Amino acid sequence: MRSHARVVIVGGGVMGVGLLYHLALEGWNELVLIEKGELTSGSTWHAAGQCPHFNGSLNISKVHLYGTQLYPQLGELTGHAVSWHPCGGLRLVRTEEELRWAKHVYGISRLAGYEAHLIGPAEIRKLHPYLETFGIKAAFLTLTDGHVAPADVTHAMAAGARQRGAEICRRTRVTGIRQLPGGEWEVATEAGNIVCEHVVNSAGSYCAVVGAWTGLNVPISNLLHHYVITEPLQELIDLKPELPVVRDPYSNSYLREEGNGVLVGPYETATAHACWAGAPPPWNFESELVAPELERLMPWLEKASERLPLFARAGVKSVISGAITHTPDGVYLSGPAPGLRNYWMHCGASIGIAQGAGAGKYLAQWMVHGQAEISMREFDPRRFGDWATREYTATTAIEDYQHMYYCYAPGEQHPVGRGLRKSTLYDALAAQGAQFAQIFGWERPRWYGTAGQSERFSWARSNWWEPVKEEALAVRERVGLMDLSTFSKYEVRGADACAFLDRICPNRLPRQDGRIVLTHLLTADGFIESEITVTRLAPDHFYLLSAAVAQLHDKDQLELRKRPGERVCIADLTDAYGVLVLAGPAAREILATLACADLSNASFPWLSARETEVAGVAGVRLLRVNYVGELGWELHVPMGQMPTVYRALMSAGKAHGIRLFGTYAMNSLRMEKAYRGWGSELTAEVTLVEAGMERFIDYEKDFIGRAGTIRSRDGGPRTLLAYLEVDAEDADCLGSEPVYCGGSLAGVTTSGAFGFAVKKSLAFAYLEPRLATAGVELTVLVRGEERAARVIDQPLWDRNNERLRA
Ligand SMILES: Cc1cc2nc3c(=O)[nH]c(=O)nc-3n(C[C@H](O)[C@H](O)[C@H](O)COP(=O)(O)OP(=O)(O)OC[C@H]3O[C@@H](n4cnc5c(N)ncnc54)[C@H](O)[C@@H]3O)c2cc1C
């Protein structure tokens, strides 16, 4: 084995090999993959090999589509035969809500570019004459789905990587990973040490153990999964072409043909459990099955027999049972490990055969080019923090497994693993009917209901509609109060703090103490990485705010941009401060009764800040800024003192009709102001020019990403963000809906909401630049229904910012 490499990948399953192949295709050399057994000897060898397209996420759909396009060609590309079965797929749909979900996914199929149809029971029976269609309303038909032998694709990609110079060391266990003082990684193996620039944890069921060597908390659980294969059946021997793979929420199973028999794989619910009693597999576990537990499957196999009576007619030939890695949200981990330069995670896949090629392609792009062509936010391992404890991961991962065929409605979340991070107002807000959502471990109010009420999750407007309308109008007409403690908060201090921020931010930094700017961090090529609000507290002391889910991501963006020797100290203050947003025409009058500060416009203008005492609480940071577009302040309060300030504000606000509001109302209000959101409008797929954010760029100075930003401006943007008014009926845009102009696909929505003050359904969409002009008529496919829409001037509410500067 060589002693130096550019990249060392630990693990030779479909994920590790998929990455190796794509790094080689990208032209990188000195690539080494180390596998303790044989390639595929972990989970990959015994997977059922199904590769579906349908998915509720546009980015994941792109990952799937790449695999189904690559696998049929892989034999020819690599000279290693691949048995691709293009049999198609039927995802059965039982309820009205599932149908709305399927229609949303249909919209995603238009954007991703795969063929899909929604068909009724009669057509289902034509395609699958042996299937019983009781309780079925429709099916989501994907003609280009297939299944493949997992070992074929893995070995073919390995062959392709070797042909481009990559090395694969089999039968060599990695025993440790440590970072050397110079930043390189030293990978210890049974065959000696190897030093590399980048290391990748692709260790499948062992990824948490491998991660722990460098102090990483890797949130995966190894869950036991089975499928059974019957003896051949004459009906299937006689039948051509092969039946489509069926995914059936009634039996919670996939059902397909295999060797002229039937293959059934159930995702059992109550009896689902982890392998090896929740511990990692023993190191000598290789190409083995986990002991099957058929008894547990019986109820599901019986249901599968009702759906496909043919299945009950044949004897079981084999039972395959093995470990599948599941993460708390069911999406694999692919991207930088938190806090570590050039340590990449690429593991946690629960449908790794379908995803291995695409996952490898996009991570290779990220490693080689500093970003991928799709947004990697959903896959970024830094979406989980230390709050994702072992217990949390164990309960949520099991639920993810149980819910493989469950259609989560928008906003619906795991009911388990809750209450991990709470502001000190949690109980007080719960008593007011707060409907909480989990975000980066935090419980954050979405809206306020009446006692005992809970959200009816739906693809249409639901029981939150009227309360949210009242919340939003209270902010516009009187005053609202929101607990937004979930903000990620950092302090940047030191002699070089100002120069450092100036170098990494495209916007001009505040020139005076107590001033605020909104700015971004860009990739080297000028694409949007982060959005942060910077407040200058002193010439060498800045207070930074960013999105809740970005806490680890943005900490890395700051830390990893520091130059050696730069005198900058970055501290994470997220848990130290709670945040209350007081917004609305009466905000000044209310706050003036409690704050020891002159709140007049002259002494406390828009985009300024100061530290003062509020309601007897010292050290409250008041920031005159908000995301709802009204007169108001954010109060950053020492977390322990939040209840005092909250009670005082509620009491002082009573005479003004103060109302608590949550993130649903905030979303509606920010849409009325056309404020972009990080992660929806602002992603690494676009530049600030394309996002219509040029006013936040100071072209006169140098900053990371400047050349790319200028290229985007001068070369003409590839796309432009447009603000749409949509003739919605009972459902507003969510994002990832296709937009058409004159019958042709013209763009994609990124988010939307109903604006209660402007009485319009609003959306953002990236469009071909020539169409992003007020007055252009469009059609948006909202839950599969065509809705007329038009581009409008931004924003609809308070165009001249008179209210927020009042
Ligand atoms: C019964 C069953 C059916 C399935 N059906 C499907 C399906 O139909 N479609 C689908 O898409 N997915 C399916 N899956 C899931 C799929 O198998 C996994 O998602 C996928 O194989 C994960 O690939 P991986 O590379 O992450 O992990 P693995 O295949 O487990 O690879 C990890 C590798 O890392 C090696 N390794 C670990 N630690 C070290 C170390 N320290 N040193 C060296 N090497 C190390 C291991 O030996 C192993 O080979 C199924 C899984 C099971 C169990």
Side-chain angles (χ1 to χ4, degrees):
M1 195 169 63
R2 55 165 62 237
S3 60
H4 279 80
R6 188 169 202 176
V7 182
V8 170
I9 299 173
V10 183
V14 70
M15 293 289 283
V17 175
L19 176 63
L20 185 76
Y21 177 55
H22 287 91
L23 283 172
L25 286 179
E26 286 285 351
W28 267 21
N29 49 21
E30 295 185 62
L31 305 173
V32 175
L33 182 145
I34 306 178
E35 165 56 49
K36 72 179 176 62
E38 296 295 340
L39 293 182
T40 78
S41 63
S43 288
T44 298
W45 70 278
H46 53 16
Q50 281 104 224
C51 300
H53 285 90
F54 74 90
N55 196 286
S57 147
L58 177 55
N59 284 317
I60 298 176
S61 300
K62 288 177 182 170
V63 169
H64 286 210
L65 179 63
Y66 177 72
T68 56
Q69 289 176 339
L70 178 72
Y71 293 159
Q73 308 172 41
L74 205 48
E76 206 168 304
L77 290 172
T78 63
H80 191 289
V82 171
S83 57
W84 172 252
H85 293 247
C87 57
L90 289 168
R91 170 62 159 87
L92 304 184
V93 172
R94 295 175 303 169
T95 64
E96 270 311 312
E97 280 297 326
E98 285 180 6
L99 193 56
R100 280 173 178 270
W101 168 82
K103 288 180 176 178
H104 180 68
V105 178
Y106 175 77
I108 287 177
S109 76
R110 307 298 77 212
L111 291 164
Y114 66 87
E115 189 176 347
H117 305 272
L118 274 166
I119 60 172
E123 278 175 279
I124 298 172
R125 283 190 293 271
K126 259 193 237 159
L127 286 165
H128 199 311
Y130 298 107
L131 202 71
E132 296 295 328
T133 51
F134 59 87
I136 294 303
K137 274 193 182 314
F140 189 81
L141 167 67
T142 36
L143 292 169
T144 46
D145 274 18
H147 62 92
V148 72
D152 286 359
V153 289
T154 312
H155 285 290
M157 290 193 289
R162 281 196 190 100
Q163 287 153 14
R164 287 168 178 75
E167 293 170 33
I168 295 178
C169 305
R170 293 156 39 245
R171 310 226 71 84
T172 308
R173 180 155 69 87
V174 174
T175 53
I177 298 174
R178 71 180 184 113
Q179 194 161 27
L180 299 174
E184 288 180 309
W185 292 95
E186 185 183 61
V187 179
T189 82
E190 291 170 327
N193 292 357
I194 177 165
V195 173
C196 56
E197 200 182 319
H198 298 265
V199 66
V200 184
N201 179 348
S202 227
S205 297
Y206 302 84
C207 65
V209 186
V210 171
W213 293 337
T214 32
L216 293 172
N217 166 37
V218 184
I220 66 111
S221 200
N222 288 304
L223 297 176
L224 177 62
H225 179 57
H226 300 72
Y227 59 87
V228 300
I229 305 174
T230 70
E231 299 287 354
L233 283 145
Q234 193 55 50
E235 289 88 335
L236 298 183
I237 294 169
D238 295 341
L239 190 80
K240 293 279 171 300
E242 188 176 333
L243 291 168
V245 179
V246 175
R247 293 179 179 82
D248 173 29
Y250 172 70
S251 59
N252 236 16
S253 301
Y254 49 86
L255 306 99
R256 70 165 170 88
E257 252 187 273
E258 175 66 33
N260 292 322
V262 175
L263 181 155
V264 176
Y267 289 98
E268 66 278 23
T269 56
T271 55
H273 69 104
C275 300
W276 305 293
W283 284 117
N284 61 359
F285 191 86
E286 183 191 325
S287 302
E288 281 176 65
L289 295 178
V290 178
E293 299 181 19
L294 263 187
E295 270 309 299
R296 294 174 186 264
L297 301 187
M298 287 321 287
W300 302 101
L301 295 180
E302 280 162 19
K303 285 184 169 207
S305 308
E306 291 171 48
R307 181 64 76 210
L308 183 60
L310 209 55
F311 171 54
R313 297 234 322 272
V316 169
K317 188 174 80 177
S318 52
V319 179
I320 306 293
S321 48
I324 298 197
T325 47
H326 275 253
T327 60
D329 61 7
V331 181
Y332 59 85
L333 308 167
S334 185
L340 300 176
R341 194 188 293 275
N342 292 347
Y343 185 122
W344 303 83
M345 304 295 300
H346 196 55
C347 49
S350 55
I351 33 178
I353 312 307
Q355 298 174 334
K361 169 182 161 169
Y362 295 118
L363 182 59
Q365 290 180 346
W366 197 352
M367 290 173 68
V368 172
H369 304 290
Q371 65 185 81
E373 67 188 78
I374 63 170
S375 169
M376 295 293 278
R377 205 167 75 89
E378 275 163 274
F379 313 108
D380 193 327
R382 297 168 295 188
R383 68 191 188 271
F384 297 106
D386 282 343
W387 49 267
T389 58
R390 275 175 73 93
E391 192 189 11
Y392 167 83
T393 300
T395 50
T396 49
I398 283 214
E399 203 188 51
D400 182 66
Y401 175 92
Q402 295 164 328
H403 284 185
M404 281 303 275
Y405 294 142
Y406 182 82
C407 304
Y408 282 92
E412 193 172 3
Q413 294 187 324
H414 288 283
V416 296
R418 299 296 299 267
L420 302 169
R421 294 175 89 191
K422 293 172 176 176
S423 96
T424 44
L425 292 186
Y426 178 86
D427 291 333
L429 301 182
Q432 297 300 315
Q435 306 289 319
F436 292 99
Q438 191 180 55
I439 176 106
F440 205 65
W442 289 98
E443 296 294 336
R444 186 170 73 179
R446 281 202 270 226
W447 59 282
Y448 290 82
T450 51
Q453 196 179 16
S454 56
E455 182 162 345
R456 188 161 43 74
F457 294 102
S458 171
W459 287 88
R461 297 168 186 163
S462 174
N463 60 339
W464 50 264
W465 175 260
E466 284 299 327
V468 170
K469 176 180 176 182
E470 287 172 24
E471 289 171 25
L473 292 179
V475 174
R476 290 280 181 249
E477 291 162 8
R478 307 187 308 275
V479 67
L481 185 66
M482 177 182 200
D483 180 357
L484 206 51
S485 300
T486 53
F487 265 133
S488 299
K489 314 167 195 91
Y490 317 90
E491 216 157 44
V492 178
R493 310 181 80 138
D496 297 327
C498 185
F500 163 71
L501 288 173
D502 195 46
R503 179 168 64 73
I504 67 173
C505 299
N507 203 354
R508 187 175 307 145
L509 283 186
R511 297 228 167 113
Q512 293 163 19
D513 296 350
R515 295 296 296 175
I516 303 171
V517 298
L518 181 71
T519 186
H520 304 83
L521 303 180
L522 307 181
T523 67
D525 284 339
F527 291 79
I528 301 168
E529 189 75 75
S530 309
E531 182 175 60
I532 49 176
T533 305
V534 179
T535 302
R536 183 169 125 167
L537 300 177
D540 58 354
H541 185 186
F542 296 82
Y543 183 53
L544 273 56
L545 301 169
S546 70
V549 287
Q551 189 177 348
L552 293 180
H553 174 273
D554 287 353
K555 178 93 187 300
D556 277 359
Q557 293 307 320
L558 295 168
E559 287 285 1
L560 301 179
R561 285 166 197 243
K562 263 169 36 183
R563 285 182 180 149
E566 223 166 6
R567 291 161 302 168
V568 177
C569 203
I570 297 158
D572 187 332
L573 300 188
T574 302
D575 294 331
Y577 282 94
V579 179
L580 284 163
V581 179
L582 181 74
R588 178 179 285 126
E589 221 174 311
I590 294 167
L591 192 57
T593 63
L594 303 170
C596 298
D598 176 359
L599 302 180
S600 68
N601 226 2
S603 79
F604 209 144
W606 171 245
L607 294 180
S608 63
R610 72 186 51 164
E611 194 164 297
T612 186
E613 186 181 301
V614 177
V617 174
V620 175
R621 290 178 178 174
L622 288 184
L623 276 64
R624 192 167 163 197
V625 69
N626 61 58
Y627 196 44
V628 296
E630 286 297 333
L631 171 68
W633 280 264
E634 280 177 9
L635 293 84
H636 293 244
V637 183
M639 188 59 106
Q641 307 290 321
M642 282 278 280
T644 307
V645 176
Y646 163 75
R647 279 192 300 269
L649 286 169
M650 289 302 281
S651 160
K654 201 166 177 186
H656 298 273
I658 194 166
R659 170 125 195 175
L660 290 168
F661 70 104
T663 50
Y664 282 0
M666 182 175 74
N667 191 39
S668 157
L669 295 161
R670 70 101 191 174
M671 284 303 304
E672 290 180 332
K673 273 302 283 177
Y675 288 156
R676 282 80 166 143
W678 181 77
S680 46
E681 287 74 41
L682 309 179
T683 71
E685 294 159 289
V686 291
T687 65
L688 286 172
V689 176
E690 291 165 340
M693 302 287 274
E694 266 194 284
R695 66 186 185 282
F696 298 99
I697 306 169
D698 175 6
Y699 286 110
E700 298 304 310
K701 67 168 195 172
D702 199 11
F703 57 87
I704 295 176
R706 183 172 181 272
T709 308
I710 290 174
R711 262 197 311 279
S712 172
R713 181 192 66 182
D714 297 347
R718 304 154 307 156
T719 180
L720 275 181
L721 190 70
Y723 187 49
L724 310 187
E725 171 193 336
V726 183
D727 296 345
E729 290 188 1
D730 64 344
D732 304 290
C733 288
L734 292 169
S736 294
E737 286 100 357
V739 182
Y740 296 90
C741 185
S744 307
L745 189 62
V748 53
T749 64
T750 48
S751 66
F754 192 82
F756 293 99
V758 301
K759 298 188 178 63
K760 285 184 196 307
S761 186
L762 301 168
F764 277 119
Y766 277 102
L767 300 180
E768 292 168 27
R770 67 185 173 91
L771 299 175
T773 306
V776 169
E777 291 289 334
L778 303 161
T779 305
V780 185
L781 210 56
V782 184
R783 320 291 186 274
E785 311 292 338
E786 289 187 359
R787 302 284 181 232
R790 61 213 57 86
V791 180
I792 52 174
D793 279 329
Q794 309 182 24
L796 267 187
W797 183 258
D798 190 22
R799 186 154 297 156
N800 299 320
N801 289 334
E802 283 159 9
R803 296 172 70 94
L804 53 88
R805 292 177 194 272

